[in-house]
């Protein structure tokens, strides 16, 4: 088969699309004819290299993908040949105290397919049965590939961890990205008043179409001042900040008393200065969130499959052009997800 792969960490020049041995399913695994994959910033970080991350090389990236079942291992009961499936990339042990309480993304052995182990950006892939979601007929392969990671992540972050309630004010930073555009839709679905930031009017128009009530161009305006003006100096109840160091202090300034800042990542750096005085005086909560439980993933994706939520797709490229897809993410080009398809599917 052909697979996206790299032999070592580095820039986009390390990415290749080349032959790789065909995989065979183990007892609890499913062999998938991959129809489409999608990129996340996680793919960029994995390619660059992360502290403590040790990979078997060559590494196949990809934490989002979808396709048709070709073969199943002898212990697989949920799927059979011909089924349409999408990957849910978080792997949990099923045995620890957190898994036994349904908190799969808090598993003591938690890891992510495509980041810690080989992913799905290849013509064929074998994946554990527990990591597959059934995709209904009528849902495009591009949608099935683009949605799972970001929508399950935003769902858990906003509704389970953040406990967003109707009438609350929610600010989503970086609303044009994968998690950001999912968070806008989920906050709107929850009945919140949604504020979104973006770097261009085109991106802000997309955010408005997906449910943002107010859109702020952070290239032209100070979003802290804009939030003060729009909320009569009160601030917002909840901020989704997966940007990190570049926005952290301003996020704290934008919260109302008793507000919550939700984070599932830090694209500009994970060690920002933080104003502890503001946190304790205004009684703010800093809440982390990672991926989702199996049930949360099911709940979020059901609303994608039925059309309630819509993953925005900025481009569809052949897997042989994955390096260009990485560059699009790094340069913040466009709105939504970049989909890659095996060259043989185009």
């Amino acid at each position: 088969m052909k697979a996206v792969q790299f032999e070592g960490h580095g820039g986009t020049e390390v990415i290749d699309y080349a032959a790789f041995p065909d995989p065979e399913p183990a007892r609890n695994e499913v062999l998938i004819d991959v129809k489409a994959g999608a990129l996340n910033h996680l793919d960029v970080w994995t390619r660059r290299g992360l502290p403590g991350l040790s990979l078997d090389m060559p590494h196949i990236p990809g934490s989002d993908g979808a396709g048709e079942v070709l073969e199943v291992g002898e212990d697989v009961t949920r799927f059979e040949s011909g089924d349409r499936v999408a990957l849910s990339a978080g792997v949990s042990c099923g045995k620890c105290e957190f898994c036994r309480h349904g908190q799969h993304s808090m598993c003591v052995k938690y890891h992510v397919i495509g980041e810690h182990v080989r992913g799905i950006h290849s013509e064929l892939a074998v994946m554990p049965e527990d990591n597959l979601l059934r995709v209904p007929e009528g849902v495009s392969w591009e949608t099935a590939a683009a949605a799972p990671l970001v929508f399950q992540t935003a769902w858990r972050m906003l509704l389970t961890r953040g406990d967003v309630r109707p009438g609350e004010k929610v600010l989503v930073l970086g609303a044009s990205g994968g998690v950001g555009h999912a968070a806008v839709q989920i906050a709107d679905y929850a009945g919140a008043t949604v504020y979104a930031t973006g770097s261009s009017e085109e991106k802000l128009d997309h955010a408005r179409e997906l449910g943002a009530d107010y859109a702020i161009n952070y290239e032209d305006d100070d979003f802290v001042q804009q939030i003060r003006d729009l909320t009569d100096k009160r601030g917002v109840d909840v901020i989704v900040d997966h940007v990190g160091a570049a926005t952290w202090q301003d996020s704290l300034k934008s919260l109302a008393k008793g507000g919550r800042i939700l984070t599932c990542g830090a694209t500009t750096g994970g060690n920002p200065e933080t104003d502890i005085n503001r946190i304790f005086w205004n009684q703010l909560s800093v809440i982390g969130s990672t991926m989702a439980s199996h049930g949360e993933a099911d709940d979020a994706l059901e609303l994608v499959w039925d059309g309630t939520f819509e993953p925005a797709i900025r481009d569809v490229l052949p897997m042989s052009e994955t390096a260009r897809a990485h560059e699009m993410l790094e340069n913040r080009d466009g709105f939504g997800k970049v989909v890659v398809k095996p060259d043989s599917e185009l």
Side-chain angles (χ1 to χ4, degrees), residues 39-344:
L39 271 75
N40 299 281
H41 275 283
L42 182 60
D43 294 294
V44 174
W45 302 328
T46 302
R47 184 253 300 161
R48 290 175 180 171
L50 291 164
L53 182 64
S54 179
L55 299 176
D56 290 334
M57 296 293 184
H59 180 70
I60 298 174
S63 302
D64 268 329
E68 185 175 304
V69 174
L70 291 177
E71 183 182 342
V72 300
E74 56 192 280
D75 292 341
V76 172
T77 59
R78 293 173 53 228
F79 301 104
E80 60 185 26
S81 178
D83 284 347
R84 306 174 86 244
V85 295
L87 175 64
S88 180
V91 182
S92 52
C93 72
K95 300 176 182 179
C96 70
E97 61 176 302
F98 302 103
C99 287
R100 287 172 62 84
H101 284 86
Q103 297 289 350
H104 302 109
S105 67
M106 295 174 68
C107 174
V108 296
K109 295 183 178 179
Y110 196 72
H111 59 280
V112 178
I113 293 168
E115 178 185 8
H116 303 98
V117 296
R118 285 175 180 148
I120 196 170
H121 288 178
S122 50
E123 292 180 317
L124 301 172
V126 291
M127 294 294 154
E129 176 185 23
D130 286 346
N131 288 95
L132 295 177
L133 303 162
R134 193 175 299 277
V135 178
E137 292 288 342
V139 176
S140 73
W141 290 123
E142 292 84 356
T143 292
L149 190 145
V150 296
F151 277 90
Q152 67 175 278
T153 297
W155 182 272
R156 175 176 174 82
M157 178 169 53
L158 283 159
L159 302 187
T160 303
R161 300 286 291 146
D163 192 27
V164 170
R165 297 180 292 276
E168 289 196 305
K169 302 178 190 298
V170 176
L171 169 62
V172 179
L173 302 185
S176 65
V179 169
H181 92 289
V184 167
Q185 295 179 68
I186 292 168
D188 179 55
Y189 174 81
T193 299
V194 183
Y195 305 76
T197 70
S199 60
S200 71
E201 287 307 312
E202 180 183 7
K203 291 179 179 180
L204 296 180
D205 285 342
H206 282 300
R208 293 185 188 99
E209 291 171 4
L210 294 178
D213 299 287
Y214 301 94
I216 301 166
N217 188 328
Y218 65 79
E219 295 285 4
D220 296 335
D221 298 306
D222 175 3
F223 77 79
V224 178
Q225 187 60 51
Q226 288 293 306
I227 290 297
R228 284 176 59 84
D229 293 344
L230 291 169
T231 63
D232 196 24
K233 300 182 180 179
R234 176 186 181 273
V236 296
D237 301 290
V238 175
I239 294 180
V240 174
D241 187 338
H242 52 95
V243 179
T247 55
W248 190 256
Q249 291 282 51
D250 285 342
S251 290
L252 293 176
K253 294 175 185 177
S254 300
L255 283 171
K257 291 220 171 191
R260 292 103 71 198
I261 184 168
L262 311 178
T263 179
C264 64
T267 56
T268 62
N271 293 292
E273 291 187 9
T274 196
D275 188 345
I276 295 175
N277 291 333
R278 183 182 295 274
I279 291 172
F280 74 71
W281 187 254
N282 287 346
Q283 302 185 59
L284 308 179
S285 297
V286 177
I287 301 172
S289 190
T290 295
M291 300 288 280
S293 69
H294 298 324
E296 289 163 338
D298 287 342
D299 290 345
L301 271 298
E302 282 298 323
L303 293 170
V304 174
W305 306 152
D306 73 10
T308 302
F309 300 146
E310 180 183 358
I313 296 171
R314 69 180 84 176
D315 209 344
V316 179
L317 301 174
M319 284 188 178
S320 59
E321 296 183 24
T322 295
R324 184 156 73 92
H326 277 237
E327 291 169 355
M328 292 175 70
L329 265 64
E330 290 177 311
N331 296 335
R332 297 184 291 118
D333 293 339
F335 188 98
K337 299 290 291 285
V338 180
V339 170
V340 290
K341 303 183 79 170
D343 289 39
S344 55

